[in-house]
């Protein structure tokens, strides 16, 4: 599988592996739908599998988003901006993986 190569080692840091759950709700990955395989068209090898979220999974996720938005709106704008900046900094720190 493709994620074993050195150039894709960073994917392990974020928890991507041969089989992945597609829905993140309240701090946990979950999915109870069908599994989809991604295939490399050059060699027909399976790249990875993703377990799709069900309608119920999505509904639970949307409910969690609604609750999180209420909390996020209570944080002062300057603090929210600082949090977003920190996320951007963390993403930019990983850019070297794509050189």
């Amino acid at each position: 599988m493709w994620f074993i190569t050195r150039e894709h080692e960073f994917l392990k840091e974020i928890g991507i592996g041969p089989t992945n759950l597609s829905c993140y709700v309240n701090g946990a990955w979950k999915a109870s739908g069908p599994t989809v395989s991604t295939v490399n068209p050059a060699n027909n090898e399976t790249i990875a599998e993703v377990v799709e979220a069900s309608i119920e999974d999505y509904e639970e996720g949307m409910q969690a988003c609604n609750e999180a938005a209420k909390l996020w709106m209570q944080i002062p704008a300057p603090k929210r901006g600082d949090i977003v900046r920190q996320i951007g900094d963390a993403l930019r720190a990983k850019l070297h993986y794509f050189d």
Side-chain angles (χ1 to χ4, degrees):
M1 295 206 172
W2 67 276
F3 57 88
I4 296 173
T5 64
R6 184 176 170 352
E7 67 182 308
H8 297 106
E9 286 179 357
F10 73 96
L11 295 173
K12 293 178 188 175
E13 290 181 32
I14 58 174
I16 294 179
T19 302
N20 305 281
L21 302 175
S22 62
C23 190
Y24 193 76
V25 178
N26 289 326
W29 288 100
K30 64 181 299 179
S32 57
T35 299
V36 177
S37 294
T38 301
V39 177
N40 181 338
N43 58 19
N44 286 330
E45 289 183 11
T46 298
I47 297 171
E49 296 179 333
V50 176
V51 181
E52 294 181 336
S54 66
I55 296 295
E56 293 79 15
D57 295 331
Y58 280 113
E59 288 175 356
E60 183 181 347
M62 292 305 297
Q63 181 73 27
C65 287
N66 187 34
E67 295 302 315
K70 291 175 187 175
L71 294 173
W72 183 247
M73 300 275 266
Q74 294 175 7
I75 298 171
K79 180 65 176 169
R80 291 194 314 255
D82 187 51
I83 292 168
V84 172
R85 181 193 54 76
Q86 291 174 33
I87 293 168
D89 290 346
L91 290 171
R92 280 186 289 282
K94 300 295 182 187
L95 282 176
H96 71 279
Y97 286 113
F98 299 105
D99 292 338

